Amino acid sequence: MAGTGQHRVTVKDVAVLAGISTATVTRVLQDSEKVIPETRARVMAAVEQLGYRPNPMARDLRHGNRAGAVGLVMSTFTNMYQAGVAAGAEKELRNAGLQLLIGSTDEDPTREPELARAMIDRRVSALMVMPDGNEREFLSPGHLFGTPVILVGRPAGGLDADVVMTDDDRGVEEATNQLLDLGHRRIAALAGQNSSFRAKQRLGGFRSALANRGLKEEPDLVVENLITPAQARSTMADLMNLASPPTAVLALNLGISTGVLLDRIENNRKLAFIALDESELSSGLHVTALVRDPEEVGRQAAKLAIDRIAQPELPARTITLASHLVRRGTGEIAVVDDREPLEMAQPK
Amino acid sequence: MAGTGQHRVTVKDVAVLAGISTATVTRVLQDSEKVIPETRARVMAAVEQLGYRPNPMARDLRHGNRAGAVGLVMSTFTNMYQAGVAAGAEKELRNAGLQLLIGSTDEDPTREPELARAMIDRRVSALMVMPDGNEREFLSPGHLFGTPVILVGRPAGGLDADVVMTDDDRGVEEATNQLLDLGHRRIAALAGQNSSFRAKQRLGGFRSALANRGLKEEPDLVVENLITPAQARSTMADLMNLASPPTAVLALNLGISTGVLLDRIENNRKLAFIALDESELSSGLHVTALVRDPEEVGRQAAKLAIDRIAQPELPARTITLASHLVRRGTGEIAVVDDREPLEMAQPK
DNA sequence: AGCCAGCATGTCAACGATTACATTGAATTT
DNA sequence: AAATTCAATGTAATCGTTGACATGCTGGCT
């Protein structure tokens, strides 16, 4: 049943035991061509007896090095959104019999090229990349050697690649509209690095919601370049100390959402709050959140990869997944300021 | 500078361009043996001009399939602790020029064997496994074909493998002692699956702290088999409704810590609380926590793997990393029950 | 001068699986 | 019955890299 435990069993061993040639063993294993049932049975028995397992590397090598593994470049493992994407992708690939090679840039985008390159060298069948938000182009087609690339999270101008993204602009617009409908006029928007595609996309949604109602943005309430939760947290303190503080706040990424939530708990704030992306705490504390399904994003990316491996000449596709607002309470708070409604300010 | 973009460049191409044989190209690339400087320069130039990059799969194949990649089997991507381990391991491996093949069992331990097997088939140089807590033995030496295994998180009886673990027993004992020193006598301990190695290890620490002071365990305060944060959360509500509720609570894993913390925020509880493992919220909300460094665990696991690849005959090593108590306030609360001290109960 | 040492490089088989092409022999056709 | 066809299997080249072994050449030694 099991092998000897030492020597790796090869097709050759199986062939010898079954008393036939390696070609026939392969034929049985691929059940590609005609093999007489009796021969097939002998081969199967030998395979079983020796515990033979094919060597995927040798197979890949023979096949021009395209088959077994797919790469994923991410910027960090310890972000729930990214981890979710990886989980979804891995699941889908595993079902398709593919393996996942993962590398992380540790938030250092300059490492993206070398990481991608190392995977391409290893002849992954496809490469999924979650590029950092900044719109540099780091993958030049000349270095890809035909390796299909799937971009996760944002498109990249110079590259004719498949893309999976989420409609955060529309989602944020919907969230903003909900707040506007509740009467909020001073809505704070806290965003990440302003050079990033995602920050632009999300602020874009916020702005078009305002613009659609002919409202103008309040510059003091839009804060960009917040990198850490701690920054978001202290920004909230600053905002609430304004002469005319916001009555609602939109947190435009996961870290910011965490920071705002910490501030909210600590200072027992009551203003309306919509977070972006889910965490154990946003759901646990009934925070209204604009939610994307990271696992679904990962699954779709993997599907694109699998399709493209099967049909390399397919035109590039872009899949946009919907984000949706999960209403849990904090985003449904009307203007309940102990100060005065806008437009008729009067000193306290 | 760059290659043509289509045909993969091989040693042979380099050899032809440099006007020498493939063997010499290899010699230059490995700088293993003597090569005359001028030849070396010619080879380098050809490599540069063609943009040659060696094919790691072919190299691995030639080397009996041991070199380029190391496997990691984890149970889920979306747990901060596990993600941290993966991150640490990836970093260390990358520095050593190795790549990381990741698979997840999706919390289904029965998938461990097939996942491990698939990686062994792919001839990873070493296999790191974070086994689920239950003490089954899923890796039979006969199936490993000499692949070194590094166990992360718990030892496995049947296997002579390297192990990285953390001294949670000692840590929990320390945490318990701190609470006892503060005068707590009704300490709740909330633990995960009672079949798991880790739950046993941690409850063991709790129990020896009590035993060392001649105290007996309060059975109604020790709750096991809590799987989800929600269960932990509702358990807290039950405990606080006891005639004699706990004055302190120890949460013995990350999910439980989250659940207890949610309960604490929601109900504004003041009892002493020590969490296990770190999350953005435990630090953000000043929760005293028994902290392990997941990245360090991952790095150590990777180091063990690297060492073992270099020296397969090394005796198996076990590395135990210290956990330590990060005192932020909630674990330093003395008995402040609005009820009465123990031993002199009187109806309210 | 003749011989050996040793350096620089070349040749070729091998890693394990696959597959184009070759071979065998039996069955079918006329 | 000879010729043809086709099904079943075998042979050997191949994927890209490596390294044991072979070769040839230079220089030093006696």
Side-chain angles (χ1 to χ4, degrees):
Chain A
M1 199 160 175
T4 62
Q6 279 321 318
H7 168 237
R8 303 276 340 193
V9 181
T10 71
V11 238
K12 195 162 187 183
D13 301 316
V14 175
V16 169
L17 179 62
I20 40 97
S21 78
T22 61
T24 304
V25 173
T26 299
R27 279 188 272 259
V28 170
L29 264 38
Q30 318 281 315
D31 56 35
S32 46
E33 287 164 78
K34 293 275 145 184
V35 176
I36 218 167
E38 195 238 312
T39 310
R40 174 179 305 271
R42 269 221 313 280
V43 171
M44 297 297 241
V47 165
E48 183 71 13
Q49 182 181 338
L50 295 173
Y52 168 76
R53 313 214 83 208
N55 180 336
M57 301 189 81
R59 175 191 286 143
D60 289 358
L61 181 61
R62 179 64 225 263
H63 282 147
N65 313 303
R66 288 294 152 82
V70 169
L72 171 62
V73 175
M74 52 202 289
S75 68
T76 175
F77 287 91
T78 52
N79 166 298
M80 274 302 157
Y81 182 77
Q82 292 204 34
V85 173
E90 195 266 353
K91 216 169 291 186
E92 193 71 28
L93 291 174
R94 180 152 34 78
N95 288 338
L98 293 165
Q99 279 176 323
L100 179 61
L101 208 57
I102 289 195
S104 152
T105 61
D106 281 326
E107 320 253 2
D108 175 357
T110 64
R111 269 206 281 255
E112 271 175 13
E114 46 171 314
L115 215 52
R117 194 61 200 277
M119 294 190 169
I120 291 170
D121 285 346
R122 194 161 273 278
R123 309 322 200 243
V124 290
S125 306
L127 184 62
M128 302 181 288
V129 185
M130 305 183 64
D132 94 306
N134 300 304
E135 306 185 55
R136 287 161 306 89
E137 306 311 340
F138 68 99
L139 291 168
S140 66
H143 283 134
L144 295 177
F145 294 100
T147 309
V149 171
I150 289 88
L151 293 164
V152 183
R154 70 165 174 91
L159 212 62
D160 182 42
D162 293 311
V163 179
V164 183
M165 36 181 298
T166 49
D167 66 345
D168 302 2
D169 37 8
R170 192 209 51 78
V172 171
E173 186 170 344
E174 178 186 347
T176 309
N177 279 333
Q178 165 159 323
L179 294 173
L180 291 171
D181 288 344
L182 289 166
H184 293 280
R185 285 302 172 271
R186 287 192 61 78
I187 304 174
L190 277 55
Q193 272 198 298
N194 70 2
S195 57
S196 106
F197 173 83
R198 281 178 278 273
K200 284 181 201 157
Q201 184 190 23
R202 291 166 192 171
L203 275 176
F206 174 67
R207 286 179 174 136
S208 51
L210 293 182
N212 283 344
R213 308 217 181 182
L215 297 171
K216 64 180 202 315
E217 181 181 333
E218 312 270 352
D220 55 339
L221 296 185
V222 175
V223 184
E224 293 185 75
N225 291 320
L226 299 172
I227 313 298
T228 64
Q231 287 171 356
R233 190 177 192 170
S234 66
T235 297
M236 277 310 290
D238 296 346
L239 288 174
M240 297 311 286
N241 280 333
L242 289 177
S244 177
T247 62
V249 54
L250 270 170
L252 295 182
N253 74 33
L254 182 54
I256 293 173
S257 299
T258 302
V260 172
L261 184 53
L262 289 173
D263 164 82
R264 185 181 186 83
I265 294 167
E266 187 178 42
N267 300 303
N268 195 28
R269 306 229 192 260
K270 301 286 186 230
L271 81 169
F273 171 36
I274 299 183
L276 199 143
D277 283 343
E278 196 69 300
S279 70
E280 268 159 342
L281 278 111
S282 59
S283 59
L285 296 174
H286 316 294
V287 173
T288 294
L290 181 61
V291 170
R292 306 176 288 163
D293 182 349
E295 295 219 358
E296 182 61 19
V297 170
R299 274 193 299 271
Q300 291 296 339
K303 276 187 189 162
L304 285 176
I306 293 166
D307 287 355
R308 182 152 300 279
I309 293 167
Q311 303 173 59
E313 298 309 330
L314 229 53
R317 289 183 287 172
T318 293
I319 293 184
T320 304
L321 296 172
S323 52
H324 62 279
L325 205 54
V326 179
R327 299 183 173 82
R328 297 205 183 89
T330 63
E332 291 68 39
I333 300 173
V335 181
V336 285
D337 197 284
D338 48 358
R339 307 187 186 216
E340 45 293 324
L342 210 64
E343 304 302 328
M344 38 190 231
Q346 64 185 60
K348 196 175 181 177
Chain B
M1 199 159 174
T4 62
Q6 279 322 319
H7 168 238
R8 301 280 334 195
V9 180
T10 71
V11 235
K12 197 163 185 182
D13 301 317
V14 175
V16 168
L17 179 62
I20 40 95
S21 78
T22 62
T24 303
V25 174
T26 299
R27 278 188 272 258
V28 170
L29 265 34
Q30 319 281 317
D31 56 34
S32 47
E33 285 164 81
K34 292 277 143 180
V35 177
I36 217 165
E38 195 238 313
T39 311
R40 173 178 306 269
R42 271 222 312 280
V43 171
M44 297 298 241
V47 165
E48 183 71 12
Q49 182 180 340
L50 296 173
Y52 168 77
R53 311 215 84 207
N55 180 336
M57 301 189 81
R59 175 190 287 144
D60 289 358
L61 181 61
R62 178 66 225 265
H63 282 149
N65 313 304
R66 287 293 152 83
V70 169
L72 171 63
V73 175
M74 51 202 290
S75 69
T76 174
F77 287 91
T78 51
N79 168 297
M80 275 299 158
Y81 182 78
Q82 291 204 34
V85 172
E90 196 266 354
K91 215 169 292 185
E92 194 71 28
L93 291 174
R94 181 153 32 79
N95 287 338
L98 293 164
Q99 279 175 323
L100 179 61
L101 209 55
I102 291 195
S104 153
T105 61
D106 280 324
E107 320 254 0
D108 175 357
T110 62
R111 270 206 280 255
E112 271 175 12
E114 46 171 315
L115 216 51
R117 194 63 200 275
M119 294 191 169
I120 291 168
D121 285 347
R122 193 160 273 277
R123 311 319 200 245
V124 290
S125 306
L127 184 62
M128 302 181 288
V129 185
M130 305 184 64
D132 96 305
N134 301 303
E135 306 186 56
R136 285 162 307 90
E137 306 311 341
F138 68 99
L139 292 168
S140 66
H143 283 135
L144 295 177
F145 294 101
T147 309
V149 171
I150 290 87
L151 294 163
V152 183
R154 70 164 174 91
L159 213 60
D160 182 41
D162 293 310
V163 179
V164 183
M165 36 181 297
T166 48
D167 66 343
D168 302 2
D169 37 8
R170 192 209 51 78
V172 172
E173 185 170 345
E174 179 187 346
T176 310
N177 280 333
Q178 166 159 323
L179 294 173
L180 291 171
D181 287 344
L182 288 167
H184 293 281
R185 285 302 173 271
R186 289 191 59 79
I187 304 174
L190 277 55
Q193 272 198 298
N194 69 2
S195 56
S196 107
F197 173 83
R198 281 178 277 272
K200 284 180 199 156
Q201 185 190 22
R202 292 166 191 171
L203 275 177
F206 173 67
R207 285 177 175 137
S208 50
L210 293 181
N212 283 343
R213 310 218 181 181
L215 297 171
K216 66 180 200 314
E217 180 182 334
E218 311 272 351
D220 53 341
L221 297 185
V222 175
V223 185
E224 291 186 76
N225 292 321
L226 299 172
I227 312 299
T228 65
Q231 287 171 355
R233 189 176 193 171
S234 67
T235 298
M236 276 309 291
D238 297 346
L239 288 174
M240 297 312 285
N241 280 334
L242 289 177
S244 177
T247 62
V249 53
L250 270 171
L252 296 181
N253 73 33
L254 182 55
I256 293 172
S257 299
T258 302
V260 172
L261 184 53
L262 289 173
D263 164 81
R264 185 180 185 83
I265 295 167
E266 186 179 43
N267 300 303
N268 195 28
R269 305 229 194 260
K270 302 285 188 231
L271 80 169
F273 171 35
I274 298 183
L276 201 144
D277 282 343
E278 197 68 299
S279 70
E280 269 159 342
L281 278 109
S282 58
S283 59
L285 297 174
H286 315 292
V287 173
T288 294
L290 182 61
V291 170
R292 306 178 288 164
D293 181 349
E295 294 221 358
E296 182 61 19
V297 171
R299 273 193 299 271
Q300 291 294 341
K303 276 187 188 163
L304 286 176
I306 293 166
D307 287 356
R308 183 154 299 281
I309 292 168
Q311 301 174 62
E313 298 308 332
L314 231 51
R317 289 182 287 174
T318 294
I319 294 184
T320 304
L321 296 172
S323 51
H324 62 279
L325 206 53
V326 179
R327 299 182 173 84
R328 299 205 183 88
T330 63
E332 291 67 38
I333 300 172
V335 182
V336 284
D337 197 282
D338 48 358
R339 307 189 185 215
E340 46 293 324
L342 211 63
E343 304 302 328
M344 35 191 231
Q346 64 186 60
K348 197 174 182 177

